[in-house]
């Protein structure tokens, strides 16, 4: 009975350890996967928030720039600044059109006289020429300026000043016109919940919703985009126009909940899998350890009670005991042999766990936004920690047809960066995609290098010290991009096949890092190109039809308020198809670039020039009558007719036909004016004229 009780306790103990082991392994793995999931989800969410913040910043800067472009147009109307009456009339009209977005439009003359609307007595000591907005505009008279936010003396809230110098016909400054833009009102239709506008001093210019924390501009360190997470509250701040920052605040609670739910699901799965696996281990242990011990005990019991039938044949009892001890010793030897094999298996499993943990750490570091150069170094350090007997190593990146050092452990990276290897020599050194090289292999490779490289490798690359090396060539899409080495300085037999397989895991991850970095770089370049192409003609760099329609509507809106004329000039190159047929489309494209450049250099900043496609250009001219438009058209056609070099000493000359329509005489909508100018252009082409003005009754036949 005593033996049975002891047997039950042993089984109970094993079952208890199996249960605790399953829980422990599941908890540890979930504790490792939770932060990885959290940071990955946070990274994805931050990318979404960044895109939203960038849209808010574009809307904010476009709104402020709109008023600057408006001042560009107003400033060329010098007749509106001749005397006090015309100045106040202009300021009153601006206030009427733009209030409440604009408060107190003002004009400061060069004699120190200040005008504003509503009228305000500034006192005898006030001199607009000493104000920051006046000085900034005078320093850059050819363009509008945006002054950093300040607290308005009357409104007692933050405003942004936009100013533009007014020049006479001789180009001399006669004064500065300025607008105080009320930040909170400008941002009412732009901001979303938990977003705000802040200036460089930390003053909130405008906000929407509640804000848990505030961005500190001094922490930006000159960066255009700043992202920070403090506890569960984070923000993304983007530097914007006029010394302002557009800030979007977000909460990380959602990512924690999702990561926690996934981790709990993984916990349940792992616990079940581990429990089943450990239960199988328990079963094997019972068959191979506990039951053999029970049989030994039973044999001893049988021998003790004399149940063994052979005992009677033995002359002395001592001989029987010696035989039993010999059998027991053999059994112990067999168990020891099995234990050694099990121990070797556990050693391999331990090394694999180290490698897996290292890869988790690498993934976590990469999800935190670490730069790719730093990731190469971090991965190399973790690989050396995880691979048994690894004492040094290096990562070499392929640049064109040579490999250069980008990360090292145990070597001087600064000095090794001066050495590069031909790609073909590196391939012959590795002898495939992976290999184990020893001391003699390293020495024989010296003949592939020049004397200067060998000298540098001996001094700082420890060439004579390397005893054993693991070497990998990393390929991405069939191209070799990285050489990965792990070195030992003490033992020529330091690395075996198991070490090679562990190192292969890190080499594969290097390929993942390289591919991810290249993909992100391509995506960023495509985004920049898409933003540019959305508003520009890709060949000439001029505005495209979409940009023309968007800004043209704004100019017409201003003309309606100011009762000004607007000319729309439709230009088509003469016989351009023959240029393409004779010289080819590539030369035709170069001709379009030259014509576009000539036109762009000879129109005003307030005018709008666009390429509609093919050989058609459209120009929108503000505040220009028939005589002004005729002179401009003749000058532009003369520029077009200037010879264009063919590059071999020959030249060609082309001309153009132009049609003109006026707002509001020929139409009050932009598409009507473009259509009318197009009809006039074809009328000029049919009558062999360079220029034609739209008239009712002109034929629309093509």
């Amino acid at each position: 009975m005593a033996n049975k009780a002891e047997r039950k306790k042993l089984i109970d103990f094993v079952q208890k350890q199996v249960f605790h082991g399953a829980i422990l392994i599941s908890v540890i793995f979930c504790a490792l996967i939770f932060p990885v999931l959290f940071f990955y989800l946070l990274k994805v969410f931050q990318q979404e928030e960044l895109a939203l913040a960038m849209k808010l910043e574009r809307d904010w800067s476009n709104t402020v720039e709109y008023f600057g472009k408006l001042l560009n147009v107003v400033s060329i109307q010098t007749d509106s600044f001749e005397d006090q009456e015309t100045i106040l009339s202009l300021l009153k009209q601006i206030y009427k059109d733009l209030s409440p977005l604009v408060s107190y439009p003002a004009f400061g003359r060069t004699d120190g006289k200040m005008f504003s609307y509503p009228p305000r007595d500034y006192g005898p000591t006030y001199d607009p020429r000493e104000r920051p907005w006046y000085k900034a505009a005078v320093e850059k008279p050819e363009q509008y300026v945006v002054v950093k936010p300040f607290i308005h003396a009357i409104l007692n809230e933050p405003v942004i000043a936009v100013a533009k110098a007014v020049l006479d016909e001789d180009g001399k400054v006669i004064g500065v016109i300025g607008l105080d833009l009320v930040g909170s009102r400008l941002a009412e239709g732009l901001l979303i919940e938990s977003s705000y506008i802040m200036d460089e001093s930390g003053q909130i210019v405008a906000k929407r919703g509640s804000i848990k924390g505030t961005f500190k501009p001094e922490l930006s360190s000159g960066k255009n985009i700043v992202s920070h997470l403090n506890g569960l509250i984070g923000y993304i701040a983007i530097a914007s126009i006029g010394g302002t920052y557009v800030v979007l605040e977000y909460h990380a609670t959602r990512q924690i909940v999702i990561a926690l739910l996934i981790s709990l699901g993984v916990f349940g799965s792992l616990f079940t899998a581990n429990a089943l696996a450990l239960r199988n281990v328990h079963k094997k242990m019972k068959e191979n350890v506990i039951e053999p011990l029970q049989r030994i005990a039973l044999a001893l019991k049988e021998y003790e009670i004399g149940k063994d039938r052979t005992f009677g044949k033995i002359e002395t009892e001592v001989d029987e005991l010696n035989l039993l001890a010999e059998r027991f010793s053999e059994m112990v030897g067999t168990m020891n042999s099995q234990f050694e094999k099990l121990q070797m298996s556990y050693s391999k499993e331990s090394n694999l766990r180290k490698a897996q943990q290292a890869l988790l750490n690498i993934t976590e570091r990469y999800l935190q936004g670490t730069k790719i150069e730093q990731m190469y170094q971090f991965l190399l350090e973790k690989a050396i920690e995880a691979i048994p007997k690894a004492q040094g190593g290096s990562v070499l990146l392929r640049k064109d047809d040579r490999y250069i050092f980008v990360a090292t452990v145990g070597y001087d990276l600064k000095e090794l960066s001066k050495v590069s290897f031909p790609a073909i020599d590196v391939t012959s050194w590795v002898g495939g995609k992976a290999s184990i090289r020893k001391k003699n292999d390293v020495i024989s490779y010296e003949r592939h290098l020049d004397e200067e490289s060998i000298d540098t490798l001996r001094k700082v690359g420890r060439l004579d010290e390397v005893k054993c090396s693991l070497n990998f060539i990393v390929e991405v899409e069939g191209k070799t991009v990285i050489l990965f080495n792990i070195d030992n300085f003490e033992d020529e037999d330091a690395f075996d096949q198991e070490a090679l397989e562990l190192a292969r895991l890190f080499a594969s991850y290097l390929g993942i890092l390289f591919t991810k970095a290249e993909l992100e770089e391509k995506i960023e370049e495509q985004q920049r190109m898409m933003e540019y192409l959305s508003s520009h003609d890709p060949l000439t760099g001029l505005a495209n039809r979409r940009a023309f329609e968007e800004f043209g509507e704004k100019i017409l809106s201003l003309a309606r308020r100011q009762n000004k004329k607007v000319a729309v000039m439709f230009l088509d190159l003469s016989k351009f198809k023959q240029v393409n047929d004779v010289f080819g489309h590539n030369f035709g494209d170069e001709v379009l670039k030259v014509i576009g450049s000539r036109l762009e250099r000879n129109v005003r900043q307030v005018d709008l020039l666009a390429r509609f496609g093919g050989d058609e250009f459209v120009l929108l001219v503000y505040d220009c009558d028939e005589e002004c438009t005729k002179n401009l058209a003749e000058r532009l056609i003369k520029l077009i007719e200037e010879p264009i070099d063919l590059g071999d000493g020959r030249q060609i000359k082309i001309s153009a036909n132009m049609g003109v329509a006026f707002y509001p005489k020929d139409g009050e909508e932009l598409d009507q004016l473009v259509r009318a100018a197009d009809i006039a252009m074809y009328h000029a082409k049919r009558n062999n004229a360079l220029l034609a003005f739209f008239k009712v009754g002109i034929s629309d036949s093509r």
Side-chain angles (χ1 to χ4, degrees), residues 365-378:
R365 178 70 65 91
Y366 187 71
L367 291 176
Q368 292 174 355
T370 304
K371 294 182 178 179
I372 188 63
E373 295 82 2
Q374 297 173 345
M375 285 304 306
Y376 289 147
Q377 183 67 34
F378 185 71

Side-chain angles (χ1 to χ4, degrees), residues 7-36:
R7 187 165 61 252
K8 289 181 180 179
K9 289 180 181 179
L10 181 58
I11 293 175
D12 292 340
F13 172 80
V14 172
Q15 290 175 341
K16 183 177 181 181
Q17 294 303 312
V18 167
F19 178 79
H20 288 173
I23 293 179
L24 181 61
I25 292 174
S26 301
V27 169
I28 291 175
F29 189 86
C30 290
L32 293 174
I33 200 174
F34 174 80
V36 175

Side-chain angles (χ1 to χ4, degrees), residues 37-55:
L37 285 170
F38 171 74
F39 283 112
Y40 173 77
L41 293 171
L42 182 62
K43 186 72 174 181
V44 173
F45 180 78
Q46 285 177 335
Q47 291 296 324
E48 297 174 353
E49 295 299 294
L50 175 60
L52 186 57
M54 292 177 69
K55 180 181 182 303

Side-chain angles (χ1 to χ4, degrees), residues 476-702:
V476 174
E477 296 182 355
K479 297 180 180 179
T480 59
V481 294
I482 291 175
L483 174 62
F484 178 50
N485 304 304
I486 298 295
D487 302 324
N488 178 275
F489 307 109
E490 298 175 352
D491 184 3
E492 288 194 4
D493 298 320
F495 300 129
D496 54 13
Q497 193 63 31
E498 179 186 349
L500 188 69
E501 294 304 319
L502 286 176
R504 195 188 304 275
L505 294 175
F506 293 93
S508 299
Y509 208 95
L510 274 173
I512 295 173
L513 292 179
F514 180 88
T515 303
K516 189 75 163 51
E518 273 204 334
L519 181 60
E520 290 177 348
E521 184 178 348
K522 290 179 181 178
I523 291 174
E524 291 176 1
E525 180 63 26
Q526 290 173 356
Q527 289 176 341
R528 289 192 295 268
M529 182 58 68
M530 289 175 63
E531 290 179 0
Y532 177 83
L533 292 179
S534 66
S535 60
H536 291 79
D537 171 45
L539 179 63
T540 63
L542 300 176
N544 58 16
R545 184 187 291 268
R546 177 176 174 271
F548 179 87
E549 293 174 351
E550 180 179 348
F551 191 65
E553 292 292 349
K554 295 180 180 178
I555 293 180
L556 287 184
S557 178
L558 177 63
R560 293 187 187 98
R561 294 196 298 270
Q562 299 294 330
N563 194 27
K564 298 291 185 181
K565 291 183 177 180
V566 177
V568 175
M569 307 172 71
F570 201 105
L571 184 151
D572 182 84
L573 300 181
S574 300
K575 301 179 180 178
F576 183 72
K577 183 178 182 300
Q578 296 179 5
V579 174
N580 280 331
D581 294 341
V582 174
F583 300 102
H585 288 277
N586 289 337
F587 182 78
D589 289 344
E590 293 301 319
V591 171
L592 291 174
K593 292 180 183 178
V594 171
I595 299 301
S597 176
R598 290 177 180 178
L599 295 175
E600 186 177 24
R601 290 197 305 269
N602 288 274
V603 298
R604 300 176 302 178
Q605 187 177 3
V606 296
D607 300 331
L608 179 59
L609 174 64
R611 179 185 175 221
F612 268 30
D615 56 354
E616 296 178 341
F617 297 84
V618 181
L619 175 62
L620 191 149
V621 187
Y622 184 81
D623 193 15
C624 191
D625 58 16
E626 285 81 353
E627 184 64 26
C628 168
T629 305
K630 180 181 179 182
N631 293 335
L632 175 60
E634 292 174 349
R635 187 171 76 252
L636 294 180
I637 292 175
K638 185 177 181 181
L639 286 170
I640 293 172
E641 291 178 341
E642 291 181 0
I644 299 176
D645 290 331
L646 293 175
D648 56 358
R650 295 181 299 165
Q651 295 180 330
I652 66 167
K653 291 178 63 176
I654 63 173
S655 186
N657 302 104
M658 186 179 297
V660 182
F662 289 94
Y663 167 86
K665 179 173 70 69
D666 300 325
E668 296 189 355
E669 300 298 332
L670 184 61
D671 58 345
Q672 294 175 342
L673 293 170
V674 173
R675 176 64 177 170
D678 186 24
I679 293 172
M681 183 273 293
Y682 274 99
H683 179 75
K685 188 182 289 287
R686 286 194 304 273
N687 291 278
N688 295 320
L690 297 178
L691 175 67
F693 290 87
F694 177 78
K695 294 180 181 179
V696 177
I698 290 179
S699 174
D700 188 19
S701 63
R702 303 298 173 98

